[in-house]
Amino acid sequence: MEPDEYREVEGLPVTTLAHTLVDVAADGSTDLEGLGRVATNVLARGLATRGELARSLERAAGSTDGAERLTTLLASVDGAESAVCPEGR
């Protein structure tokens, strides 16, 4: 895990929302439609940026079996983001 993929909250290291979404996508236990809705909401609320999500997806794509799911998630976020976040966060 890279330093920009976690933060300290009250002294405890926690992963960023972008990294957590990637972990959930790679796990394969959650449907992509639901992940896409969560990712779109995260972007719309400014809880993560499009760049943070893309970096986390790129880092994980080569090291997990969930690369195809991650790519699909990124594509779904791309389409939804333009409708929810027209400024391209």
Side-chain angles (χ1 to χ4, degrees):
M1 181 180 330
E2 298 295 324
D4 64 339
E5 292 183 300
Y6 67 91
R7 296 186 174 102
E8 283 197 22
V9 176
E10 297 184 17
L12 296 172
V14 295
T15 60
T16 62
L17 283 172
H19 186 86
T20 300
L21 282 171
V22 170
D23 286 345
V24 172
D27 176 64
S29 62
T30 305
D31 67 278
L32 287 174
E33 183 180 336
L35 287 171
R37 283 193 308 269
V38 171
T40 299
N41 192 344
V42 165
L43 291 168
R45 295 178 67 195
L47 301 173
T49 66
R50 172 71 178 79
E52 289 169 335
L53 184 56
R55 279 190 299 279
S56 289
L57 288 167
E58 288 170 9
R59 288 175 182 154
S63 62
T64 70
D65 292 333
E68 185 175 330
R69 286 179 55 82
L70 299 174
T71 301
T72 303
L73 174 61
L74 181 56
S76 91
V77 170
D78 283 342
E81 179 187 1
S82 61
V84 176
C85 300
E87 67 277 359
R89 264 188 208 175

